[in-house]
Amino acid sequence: MKLQELKAKVYELAEVTTTKQLKAKYKEIQTLDMRLKTSWQETIAILQKSQSEYEKWLENPPEEYKEIFSEITEALEKYDQKSIQTKKLAQEIVSIADDLEELAEESQNEAEQIKQEVEVIKHISKQARLN
């Protein structure tokens, strides 16, 4: 691999963008001279080993972590359920609000019609009194 390819792979594996971030994240490479290709090759080996160890750990974590992971999973499931319920309620509220708005508009229109009818009746009544 070319040096640039090595750097890109290291940055991708380490999820960093600079050598400074890389050295801050992995103490094992702080003494390496990152101007050298061999240092980048060593870094890849270190990162791959670290990732492999982490994956093995995830496959069989200590009991205390299994309990924590279980609690987290349970909390996430409850959150998902509550989130779904909240979205449904929000949709219902929007629907009710739309219905109320439509009803208010209809009531407003009826009120306008009644007003007009009252005006016509007043006018007719006035005309009748004058005759």
Side-chain angles (χ1 to χ4, degrees):
M1 250 192 264
K2 293 180 181 178
L3 181 59
Q4 285 305 106
E5 292 170 337
L6 280 171
K7 285 183 179 184
K9 183 161 179 120
V10 166
Y11 288 150
E12 182 182 334
L13 285 173
E15 298 177 346
V16 297
T17 55
T18 65
T19 306
K20 186 176 182 178
Q21 291 172 337
L22 183 65
K23 286 190 173 193
K25 192 170 180 178
Y26 295 93
K27 307 298 181 203
E28 307 97 323
I29 64 167
Q30 284 183 341
T31 58
L32 296 177
D33 183 353
M34 300 313 281
R35 295 174 292 180
L36 303 174
K37 186 175 182 177
T38 56
S39 294
W40 288 95
Q41 289 169 332
E42 276 186 62
T43 301
I44 281 185
I46 290 168
L47 291 176
Q48 287 173 335
K49 180 183 175 202
S50 174
Q51 194 169 13
S52 174
E53 289 171 354
Y54 176 67
E55 288 171 4
K56 285 180 186 174
W57 184 89
L58 277 179
E59 288 173 9
N60 191 23
E63 282 303 313
E64 61 198 53
Y65 290 102
K66 285 180 183 178
E67 289 176 30
I68 292 171
F69 293 157
S70 174
E71 290 172 10
I72 291 170
T73 302
E74 190 177 314
L76 285 172
E77 287 171 358
K78 285 180 183 177
Y79 171 80
D80 288 342
Q81 290 171 353
K82 293 292 183 184
S83 179
I84 289 168
Q85 288 174 341
T86 302
K87 286 178 184 175
K88 284 180 183 176
L89 288 173
Q91 288 173 341
E92 287 179 32
I93 289 170
V94 167
S95 178
I96 290 169
D98 289 344
D99 291 346
L100 285 173
E101 195 172 301
E102 189 177 315
L103 183 62
E105 193 174 310
E106 288 174 8
S107 296
Q108 184 68 32
N109 291 339
E110 285 180 27
E112 290 295 325
Q113 283 180 333
I114 291 171
K115 251 183 171 177
Q116 288 175 354
E117 288 174 10
V118 167
E119 288 298 319
V120 168
I121 291 172
K122 278 185 184 178
H123 183 66
I124 293 172
S125 175
K126 188 176 181 182
Q127 286 295 329
R129 273 185 279 148
L130 290 175
N131 290 336

